[in-house]
Amino acid sequence: FRLLLARDQFTAVGVGLGYKLLLAPLLILGVGLLGGVHGLPLTIAVLQAAMAPMVSGAILADQYHLDPPVAGSLLGIGVLAGFATVPLWNLVLG
């Protein structure tokens, strides 16, 4: 894992991580609350949505030449950031 991205790639990584680690769990939380879901099912759904990006997505991006440096950075940074954001989401839901 090397963080050697062009300036325009930093934006893509930032948007991808913002969506995956912050916006997606927030959307799931909102939809769950609007749907009357509470307790453990809501907690599980939000925490699953807050998990780091998938390895298989990075592999597919590499195989089809879909900006592999961005995919690899999303995966690497996302896993590390997930160690902080998932517990924070758990505290929010607590």
Side-chain angles (χ1 to χ4, degrees):
F1 171 69
R2 293 180 299 149
L3 185 57
L4 296 174
L5 296 172
R7 173 173 252 121
D8 62 332
Q9 292 173 326
F10 277 111
T11 303
V13 170
V15 169
L17 290 175
Y19 171 77
K20 183 64 182 128
L21 300 176
L22 299 173
L23 186 59
L26 185 62
L27 288 172
I28 296 297
L29 178 62
V31 169
L33 291 174
L34 285 174
V37 179
H38 299 285
L40 191 57
L42 181 62
T43 300
I44 291 170
V46 172
L47 292 181
Q48 282 291 324
M51 295 292 172
M54 295 179 2
V55 173
S56 58
I59 292 170
L60 287 171
D62 186 51
Q63 282 182 338
Y64 291 99
H65 309 290
L66 302 173
D67 211 348
V70 169
S73 294
L74 271 170
L75 180 62
I77 296 169
V79 168
L80 294 175
F83 285 123
T85 59
V86 171
L88 288 175
W89 277 108
N90 194 37
L91 286 175
V92 168
L93 296 166

